[in-house]
Amino acid sequence: MAEAERIIGTPDTPEAAGAGPERFPEERQAGAQPSGEELSATDGTADAERPRGRRKLPVLFAVAVFAYLLDLVSKTIVVAKLEHHAPVSVIGDALKFEAIRNPGAAFGVGAAFTVIFTCIAAVVIFVIARLARKLYSVPWAIALGLLLGGALGNLTDRIFRSPSPFQGAVVDFISVAHFSVFNLADSAICCGGVLIVLLSFRGLDPDGTLHKD
């Protein structure tokens, strides 16, 4: 008998195998805890998809409003005090204030395409508004706020100033020697653009995600 059992083999029983009864999938799902790897994978996915705090819309709007009002007030003063007057020297010939009507883009580029630049400014504002829906980064909020405020400042000139709606000339007044004449809206746009380039090189996305590669 012992020899027959050796040849045929004995049935697999929990006692013979030295293990407890096999758990059905339902029992495993109800009672077993996920492994460490499963927890790490789940947590990693949740962290990647979970927004990092609240959206930074207040920062974007605050920076945009500040840049826009600063540009608007400065242009109002320039039109009232400097237009049709001699330039005001700030730092010798290196920096002067003089009122100039610019029908083109920033720094006097493209004077023959006023309507096109008006449309471009409107598109930039629309894109920033859509991007703001996933904005969780303060540096990106500042950069986009500068772009938005500057674009709105120059767009206001193009819509409401002479010679006609949507073809108005932008008021420029900051004259730098050997460079060009510009305004605070142009400066805000340039600063916002430079900041966006720096953030992109750092690998920081508008949603706050930082890429290490």
Side-chain angles (χ1 to χ4, degrees), residues 4 11 30 44 68 71 86 124 127 132 140 179 203 208 211-212:
Y68 176 76
D71 178 70
V124 168
V127 171
W140 269 97
F179 184 56
H211 300 284
K212 298 299 183 181

Side-chain angles (χ1 to χ4, degrees), residues 62-83:
V63 174
V65 169
F66 177 77
Y68 176 76
L69 292 180
L70 192 63
D71 178 70
L72 184 62
V73 170
S74 65
K75 289 175 179 176
T76 302
I77 296 174
V78 166
V79 171
K81 302 296 184 180
L82 288 181
E83 200 165 34

Side-chain angles (χ1 to χ4, degrees), residues 182-202:
F182 55 97
N183 55 43
L184 295 182
D186 298 333
S187 301
I189 293 173
C190 290
C191 291
V194 170
L195 183 55
I196 287 176
V197 172
L198 294 177
L199 294 174
S200 299
F201 273 116
R202 282 195 58 195

Side-chain angles (χ1 to χ4, degrees), residues 94-117:
L95 178 63
K96 296 180 180 180
F97 288 160
E98 58 177 324
I100 294 179
R101 297 296 183 110
N102 172 24
F107 310 113
V109 178
F113 301 97
T114 306
V115 176
I116 296 177
F117 292 130

